[in-house]
Amino acid sequence: MLDTELRSNPFLVEQFAALTRLPLPTIGMSAPARAALSPLWLLVRPLVGHVIQVCSSKAMVPKMQALTGFRLRPHHNLEFAVYTTVLRAAWRLLPDRLLLAPLAYNRLQYEKLVHVHRKYALDTFSVPAERSGGCPI
């Protein structure tokens, strides 16, 4: 499909370039919090967008990457290595509460509880073999 159907177009190039101008994520954020975080976001969003561009481009098939208009340079290889190293360290070191979505975190907690309680669970309700000689009366 990449060889026969897809072509570079201004919309694709513009949207990929616009990753450095991402809007402030505001879901669940109050109006005062949005107002307080907006200046900081305006400072860091070019960096955040650049990280997304580099990581996305490195993950793309080379032909698809060429369609985006973003050119990978030799220094992007080093950047990508740093980003992946930091992400791996974060995944190992940060608590699950920060890494997982709320439903995934709740499921993990549930699985841990199940694991702890399984070792005390009964396999059967039948009388143990050593006491199956009959009624003691």
Side-chain angles (χ1 to χ4, degrees), residues 3-4 6 9 13 16 19 21 29 34 67 73 75 77 82 91 93 95 106 120:
D3 291 332
T4 59
L6 295 177
N9 61 62
V13 172
F16 200 79
L19 288 172
R21 297 182 306 274
M29 196 180 298
R34 279 193 298 270
L67 297 179
R73 309 272 184 245
H75 70 274
N77 292 331
V82 169
W91 189 254
L93 300 174
N106 288 342
Y120 300 111

PDB file of all heavy atoms in Angstrom, residues 3-4 6 9 13 16 19 21 29 34 67 73 75 77 82 91 93 95 106 120:
ATOM      1  N   ASP A   3       3.771   1.612  -1.336  1.00  0.00           N
ATOM      2  CA  ASP A   3       4.368   1.812  -2.659  1.00  0.00           C
ATOM      3  C   ASP A   3       3.356   2.298  -3.693  1.00  0.00           C
ATOM      4  O   ASP A   3       3.704   3.066  -4.595  1.00  0.00           O
ATOM      5  CB  ASP A   3       4.985   0.497  -3.159  1.00  0.00           C
ATOM      6  CG  ASP A   3       6.208   0.112  -2.348  1.00  0.00           C
ATOM      7  OD1 ASP A   3       6.876   1.019  -1.811  1.00  0.00           O
ATOM      8  OD2 ASP A   3       6.484  -1.100  -2.246  1.00  0.00           O
ATOM      9  N   THR A   4       2.117   1.858  -3.577  1.00  0.00           N
ATOM     10  CA  THR A   4       1.156   2.141  -4.648  1.00  0.00           C
ATOM     11  C   THR A   4       0.101   3.197  -4.303  1.00  0.00           C
ATOM     12  O   THR A   4      -0.358   3.906  -5.180  1.00  0.00           O
ATOM     13  CB  THR A   4       0.418   0.847  -5.036  1.00  0.00           C
ATOM     14  OG1 THR A   4      -0.256   0.343  -3.885  1.00  0.00           O
ATOM     15  CG2 THR A   4       1.386  -0.186  -5.582  1.00  0.00           C
ATOM     16  N   LEU A   6      -0.103   5.451  -1.117  1.00  0.00           N
ATOM     17  CA  LEU A   6       0.175   6.645  -0.330  1.00  0.00           C
ATOM     18  C   LEU A   6       1.131   7.591  -1.045  1.00  0.00           C
ATOM     19  O   LEU A   6       2.077   7.172  -1.690  1.00  0.00           O
ATOM     20  CB  LEU A   6       0.770   6.259   1.024  1.00  0.00           C
ATOM     21  CG  LEU A   6      -0.154   5.484   1.946  1.00  0.00           C
ATOM     22  CD1 LEU A   6       0.568   5.099   3.227  1.00  0.00           C
ATOM     23  CD2 LEU A   6      -1.395   6.285   2.277  1.00  0.00           C
ATOM     24  N   ASN A   9       1.638  14.645   1.049  1.00  0.00           N
ATOM     25  CA  ASN A   9       0.743  15.747   0.739  1.00  0.00           C
ATOM     26  C   ASN A   9       0.952  16.847   1.784  1.00  0.00           C
ATOM     27  O   ASN A   9       1.453  16.591   2.880  1.00  0.00           O
ATOM     28  CB  ASN A   9      -0.713  15.286   0.659  1.00  0.00           C
ATOM     29  CG  ASN A   9      -1.204  14.715   1.954  1.00  0.00           C
ATOM     30  OD1 ASN A   9      -1.248  15.400   2.956  1.00  0.00           O
ATOM     31  ND2 ASN A   9      -1.578  13.434   1.932  1.00  0.00           N
ATOM     32  N   VAL A  13       2.355  16.659   5.912  1.00  0.00           N
ATOM     33  CA  VAL A  13       3.580  17.355   6.302  1.00  0.00           C
ATOM     34  C   VAL A  13       3.273  18.415   7.359  1.00  0.00           C
ATOM     35  O   VAL A  13       3.983  18.542   8.370  1.00  0.00           O
ATOM     36  CB  VAL A  13       4.263  17.988   5.061  1.00  0.00           C
ATOM     37  CG1 VAL A  13       5.425  18.871   5.454  1.00  0.00           C
ATOM     38  CG2 VAL A  13       4.711  16.892   4.096  1.00  0.00           C
ATOM     39  N   PHE A  16       2.377  16.786  10.814  1.00  0.00           N
ATOM     40  CA  PHE A  16       3.551  16.234  11.504  1.00  0.00           C
ATOM     41  C   PHE A  16       4.416  17.366  12.054  1.00  0.00           C
ATOM     42  O   PHE A  16       4.942  17.275  13.156  1.00  0.00           O
ATOM     43  CB  PHE A  16       4.362  15.329  10.567  1.00  0.00           C
ATOM     44  CG  PHE A  16       5.258  14.383  11.301  1.00  0.00           C
ATOM     45  CD1 PHE A  16       4.750  13.234  11.862  1.00  0.00           C
ATOM     46  CD2 PHE A  16       6.610  14.648  11.451  1.00  0.00           C
ATOM     47  CE1 PHE A  16       5.563  12.354  12.556  1.00  0.00           C
ATOM     48  CE2 PHE A  16       7.434  13.787  12.140  1.00  0.00           C
ATOM     49  CZ  PHE A  16       6.904  12.626  12.698  1.00  0.00           C
ATOM     50  N   LEU A  19       3.281  19.036  15.429  1.00  0.00           N
ATOM     51  CA  LEU A  19       3.461  18.359  16.712  1.00  0.00           C
ATOM     52  C   LEU A  19       4.236  19.212  17.703  1.00  0.00           C
ATOM     53  O   LEU A  19       4.144  19.010  18.911  1.00  0.00           O
ATOM     54  CB  LEU A  19       4.172  17.012  16.506  1.00  0.00           C
ATOM     55  CG  LEU A  19       3.335  15.922  15.845  1.00  0.00           C
ATOM     56  CD1 LEU A  19       4.184  14.715  15.526  1.00  0.00           C
ATOM     57  CD2 LEU A  19       2.155  15.548  16.719  1.00  0.00           C
ATOM     58  N   ARG A  21       3.582  22.235  18.187  1.00  0.00           N
ATOM     59  CA  ARG A  21       2.640  23.269  18.625  1.00  0.00           C
ATOM     60  C   ARG A  21       1.379  22.628  19.225  1.00  0.00           C
ATOM     61  O   ARG A  21       0.266  23.102  19.009  1.00  0.00           O
ATOM     62  CB  ARG A  21       2.269  24.166  17.438  1.00  0.00           C
ATOM     63  CG  ARG A  21       3.439  24.920  16.859  1.00  0.00           C
ATOM     64  CD  ARG A  21       3.053  25.842  15.717  1.00  0.00           C
ATOM     65  NE  ARG A  21       2.320  25.213  14.628  1.00  0.00           N
ATOM     66  CZ  ARG A  21       2.874  24.590  13.586  1.00  0.00           C
ATOM     67  NH1 ARG A  21       4.175  24.511  13.492  1.00  0.00           N
ATOM     68  NH2 ARG A  21       2.123  24.068  12.640  1.00  0.00           N
ATOM     69  N   MET A  29      -8.914  19.151  33.958  1.00  0.00           N
ATOM     70  CA  MET A  29      -8.155  20.252  34.540  1.00  0.00           C
ATOM     71  C   MET A  29      -9.083  21.456  34.733  1.00  0.00           C
ATOM     72  O   MET A  29      -9.833  21.816  33.832  1.00  0.00           O
ATOM     73  CB  MET A  29      -6.995  20.618  33.610  1.00  0.00           C
ATOM     74  CG  MET A  29      -5.941  21.466  34.258  1.00  0.00           C
ATOM     75  SD  MET A  29      -4.588  21.882  33.135  1.00  0.00           S
ATOM     76  CE  MET A  29      -3.918  20.297  32.724  1.00  0.00           C
ATOM     77  N   ARG A  34      -5.508  25.446  34.255  1.00  0.00           N
ATOM     78  CA  ARG A  34      -5.151  25.709  32.854  1.00  0.00           C
ATOM     79  C   ARG A  34      -4.439  27.041  32.722  1.00  0.00           C
ATOM     80  O   ARG A  34      -3.426  27.159  32.037  1.00  0.00           O
ATOM     81  CB  ARG A  34      -6.395  25.701  31.973  1.00  0.00           C
ATOM     82  CG  ARG A  34      -6.860  24.335  31.577  1.00  0.00           C
ATOM     83  CD  ARG A  34      -7.891  24.408  30.458  1.00  0.00           C
ATOM     84  NE  ARG A  34      -9.102  25.133  30.825  1.00  0.00           N
ATOM     85  CZ  ARG A  34     -10.181  24.589  31.373  1.00  0.00           C
ATOM     86  NH1 ARG A  34     -10.194  23.305  31.609  1.00  0.00           N
ATOM     87  NH2 ARG A  34     -11.224  25.304  31.672  1.00  0.00           N
ATOM     88  N   LEU A  67       7.432  10.406   3.807  1.00  0.00           N
ATOM     89  CA  LEU A  67       6.200  11.117   3.451  1.00  0.00           C
ATOM     90  C   LEU A  67       5.847  12.232   4.441  1.00  0.00           C
ATOM     91  O   LEU A  67       5.095  13.141   4.102  1.00  0.00           O
ATOM     92  CB  LEU A  67       5.019  10.137   3.368  1.00  0.00           C
ATOM     93  CG  LEU A  67       5.107   9.049   2.309  1.00  0.00           C
ATOM     94  CD1 LEU A  67       3.876   8.158   2.378  1.00  0.00           C
ATOM     95  CD2 LEU A  67       5.265   9.638   0.930  1.00  0.00           C
ATOM     96  N   ARG A  73      18.272  13.166  11.117  1.00  0.00           N
ATOM     97  CA  ARG A  73      19.684  13.497  10.999  1.00  0.00           C
ATOM     98  C   ARG A  73      20.473  12.538  11.894  1.00  0.00           C
ATOM     99  O   ARG A  73      19.892  11.873  12.764  1.00  0.00           O
ATOM    100  CB  ARG A  73      19.932  14.944  11.433  1.00  0.00           C
ATOM    101  CG  ARG A  73      19.026  15.958  10.781  1.00  0.00           C
ATOM    102  CD  ARG A  73      19.610  16.440   9.466  1.00  0.00           C
ATOM    103  NE  ARG A  73      18.766  17.503   8.901  1.00  0.00           N
ATOM    104  CZ  ARG A  73      18.107  17.381   7.786  1.00  0.00           C
ATOM    105  NH1 ARG A  73      18.154  16.273   7.100  1.00  0.00           N
ATOM    106  NH2 ARG A  73      17.382  18.372   7.328  1.00  0.00           N
ATOM    107  N   HIS A  75      22.242  13.088  14.478  1.00  0.00           N
ATOM    108  CA  HIS A  75      22.091  13.359  15.912  1.00  0.00           C
ATOM    109  C   HIS A  75      20.765  12.848  16.468  1.00  0.00           C
ATOM    110  O   HIS A  75      20.634  12.643  17.674  1.00  0.00           O
ATOM    111  CB  HIS A  75      22.265  14.859  16.209  1.00  0.00           C
ATOM    112  CG  HIS A  75      21.153  15.716  15.720  1.00  0.00           C
ATOM    113  ND1 HIS A  75      21.112  16.206  14.437  1.00  0.00           N
ATOM    114  CD2 HIS A  75      20.028  16.173  16.342  1.00  0.00           C
ATOM    115  CE1 HIS A  75      20.020  16.936  14.284  1.00  0.00           C
ATOM    116  NE2 HIS A  75      19.346  16.936  15.421  1.00  0.00           N
ATOM    117  N   ASN A  77      19.667   9.875  16.064  1.00  0.00           N
ATOM    118  CA  ASN A  77      19.939   8.525  16.573  1.00  0.00           C
ATOM    119  C   ASN A  77      20.356   8.590  18.040  1.00  0.00           C
ATOM    120  O   ASN A  77      19.906   7.786  18.861  1.00  0.00           O
ATOM    121  CB  ASN A  77      21.029   7.847  15.749  1.00  0.00           C
ATOM    122  CG  ASN A  77      20.572   7.535  14.347  1.00  0.00           C
ATOM    123  OD1 ASN A  77      19.391   7.308  14.100  1.00  0.00           O
ATOM    124  ND2 ASN A  77      21.502   7.557  13.408  1.00  0.00           N
ATOM    125  N   VAL A  82      18.851   8.188  23.895  1.00  0.00           N
ATOM    126  CA  VAL A  82      18.654   8.810  25.214  1.00  0.00           C
ATOM    127  C   VAL A  82      17.194   8.667  25.650  1.00  0.00           C
ATOM    128  O   VAL A  82      16.912   8.289  26.796  1.00  0.00           O
ATOM    129  CB  VAL A  82      19.083  10.293  25.188  1.00  0.00           C
ATOM    130  CG1 VAL A  82      18.641  11.018  26.451  1.00  0.00           C
ATOM    131  CG2 VAL A  82      20.588  10.406  24.997  1.00  0.00           C
ATOM    132  N   TRP A  91      10.236   3.206  33.473  1.00  0.00           N
ATOM    133  CA  TRP A  91       9.345   2.050  33.580  1.00  0.00           C
ATOM    134  C   TRP A  91       9.783   1.134  34.720  1.00  0.00           C
ATOM    135  O   TRP A  91       8.967   0.549  35.421  1.00  0.00           O
ATOM    136  CB  TRP A  91       9.317   1.285  32.258  1.00  0.00           C
ATOM    137  CG  TRP A  91       8.278   0.224  32.240  1.00  0.00           C
ATOM    138  CD1 TRP A  91       8.477  -1.125  32.336  1.00  0.00           C
ATOM    139  CD2 TRP A  91       6.866   0.391  32.135  1.00  0.00           C
ATOM    140  NE1 TRP A  91       7.280  -1.787  32.294  1.00  0.00           N
ATOM    141  CE2 TRP A  91       6.275  -0.888  32.164  1.00  0.00           C
ATOM    142  CE3 TRP A  91       6.045   1.504  32.008  1.00  0.00           C
ATOM    143  CZ2 TRP A  91       4.909  -1.074  32.083  1.00  0.00           C
ATOM    144  CZ3 TRP A  91       4.678   1.306  31.924  1.00  0.00           C
ATOM    145  CH2 TRP A  91       4.126   0.024  31.967  1.00  0.00           C
ATOM    146  N   LEU A  93      11.685   2.154  37.451  1.00  0.00           N
ATOM    147  CA  LEU A  93      11.833   2.824  38.735  1.00  0.00           C
ATOM    148  C   LEU A  93      10.567   3.498  39.263  1.00  0.00           C
ATOM    149  O   LEU A  93      10.379   3.575  40.475  1.00  0.00           O
ATOM    150  CB  LEU A  93      12.952   3.873  38.646  1.00  0.00           C
ATOM    151  CG  LEU A  93      14.326   3.322  38.274  1.00  0.00           C
ATOM    152  CD1 LEU A  93      15.320   4.448  38.078  1.00  0.00           C
ATOM    153  CD2 LEU A  93      14.820   2.351  39.340  1.00  0.00           C
ATOM    154  N   PRO A  95       6.677   4.158  40.306  1.00  0.00           N
ATOM    155  CA  PRO A  95       5.628   3.269  40.823  1.00  0.00           C
ATOM    156  C   PRO A  95       4.537   3.028  39.775  1.00  0.00           C
ATOM    157  O   PRO A  95       4.291   3.856  38.905  1.00  0.00           O
ATOM    158  CB  PRO A  95       5.068   4.030  42.031  1.00  0.00           C
ATOM    159  CG  PRO A  95       5.484   5.442  41.857  1.00  0.00           C
ATOM    160  CD  PRO A  95       6.723   5.439  41.018  1.00  0.00           C
ATOM    161  N   ASN A 106      -5.878  -0.670  38.690  1.00  0.00           N
ATOM    162  CA  ASN A 106      -6.831  -1.406  39.522  1.00  0.00           C
ATOM    163  C   ASN A 106      -6.792  -2.892  39.211  1.00  0.00           C
ATOM    164  O   ASN A 106      -6.872  -3.722  40.114  1.00  0.00           O
ATOM    165  CB  ASN A 106      -8.239  -0.859  39.334  1.00  0.00           C
ATOM    166  CG  ASN A 106      -8.416   0.495  39.969  1.00  0.00           C
ATOM    167  OD1 ASN A 106      -7.623   0.891  40.809  1.00  0.00           O
ATOM    168  ND2 ASN A 106      -9.441   1.217  39.568  1.00  0.00           N
ATOM    169  N   TYR A 120      -4.099 -19.631  50.198  1.00  0.00           N
ATOM    170  CA  TYR A 120      -4.912 -20.064  51.325  1.00  0.00           C
ATOM    171  C   TYR A 120      -6.228 -20.700  50.877  1.00  0.00           C
ATOM    172  O   TYR A 120      -7.025 -21.103  51.710  1.00  0.00           O
ATOM    173  CB  TYR A 120      -5.225 -18.873  52.239  1.00  0.00           C
ATOM    174  CG  TYR A 120      -3.978 -18.237  52.787  1.00  0.00           C
ATOM    175  CD1 TYR A 120      -3.588 -16.976  52.380  1.00  0.00           C
ATOM    176  CD2 TYR A 120      -3.178 -18.911  53.697  1.00  0.00           C
ATOM    177  CE1 TYR A 120      -2.439 -16.393  52.873  1.00  0.00           C
ATOM    178  CE2 TYR A 120      -2.025 -18.335  54.194  1.00  0.00           C
ATOM    179  CZ  TYR A 120      -1.664 -17.075  53.780  1.00  0.00           C
ATOM    180  OH  TYR A 120      -0.520 -16.493  54.261  1.00  0.00           O
TER     181      TYR A 120
END
